[in-house]
Amino acid sequence: MPWDIKPDRPIYTQLIEQIQLKICSGVYPPGSRLPSVRDLAQEASVNPNTMQRALAKLEEDGLLYTNRTSGRFVTEDTDMIKQVRKRLAEKHVQDFLKKMTELGFDYNEIISIISAMIKTEEMKHE
Amino acid sequence: MPWDIKPDRPIYTQLIEQIQLKICSGVYPPGSRLPSVRDLAQEASVNPNTMQRALAKLEEDGLLYTNRTSGRFVTEDTDMIKQVRKRLAEKHVQDFLKKMTELGFDYNEIISIISAMIKTEEMKHE
DNA sequence: ATTATTGTATTAAGGTCTTAATACAATAAT
DNA sequence: ATTATTGTATTAAGACCTTAATACAATAAT
């Protein structure tokens, strides 16, 4: 999963989301050490200040903690991580349903369209 | 459908999306006249310049056209509007599937979660 | 002990977005 | 003919984001 920064929203916001995702999906396991601010910044091709800003927010949320000079680590609280994962998923579903109903699709149509697209996706990977 | 502007993305981008939505969902029917730039700006509580910027983009895309001093109108090309609606819907589905698979959900789980949430939504409105 | 690495803080510069305040030209309305 | 309304253009100011270039303190590594 490479870093994917688009120009349409603040970079630090996207960094927060993507690090959050790496934690929820297990790329950064509970208790593991993250690369240094400078290394992460280089990985993502952003300024260290910008990466620092994103990390500070995640720390504020409790997903990360800092050991002054040995580095930054993912929380060991696996329940919290599961909770975040669930919250993100539900938010994605709700946002998606809102967008589709605004476009005038009813629930049956939505299920139908998504099923069709899933089948198309599955065909690609066989 | 009131205007809904959030501070996390450029306003003009959100205006483009919301006017597009009003066109696709029939709030602004094909061939109908839009309120003036100044009126729209006041409706949405934004600066006329910002609204102008959004309208210019939609005109560039062909969804709107201008009659110099009588106002701005929605295209009469209903096929184009349907096409845009379809394109937006497919984009929403793809983005949604991407986000959910990134979080580690497989297709069966996705269908299951969305079905559950739809049932919950339906209960609210009965 | 010395060095390197860690997170953190500061200052300055440039870019984009937004608002505000106007102004102009074309034409619909009167 | 005159007036009002339309889209459009311009300029200036301020806010936020990002980068760059440093610097500092704490401590792990040597």
Side-chain angles (χ1 to χ4, degrees), chain A residues 51-97:
Chain A
M51 183 58 75
Q52 164 74 17
R53 185 171 177 181
L55 294 170
K57 176 63 167 59
L58 290 166
E59 191 161 338
E60 192 187 308
D61 295 346
L63 275 177
L64 299 179
Y65 65 92
T66 297
N67 271 357
R68 193 61 173 89
T69 62
S70 73
R72 244 194 207 86
F73 300 82
V74 178
T75 180
E76 278 108 17
D77 186 344
T78 52
D79 281 347
M80 181 189 202
I81 296 175
K82 282 178 196 163
Q83 205 177 333
V84 170
R85 178 172 181 263
K86 189 182 171 193
R87 181 172 57 73
L88 291 177
E90 286 176 353
K91 183 77 163 64
H92 291 329
V93 175
Q94 275 176 344
D95 289 351
F96 170 65
L97 289 178

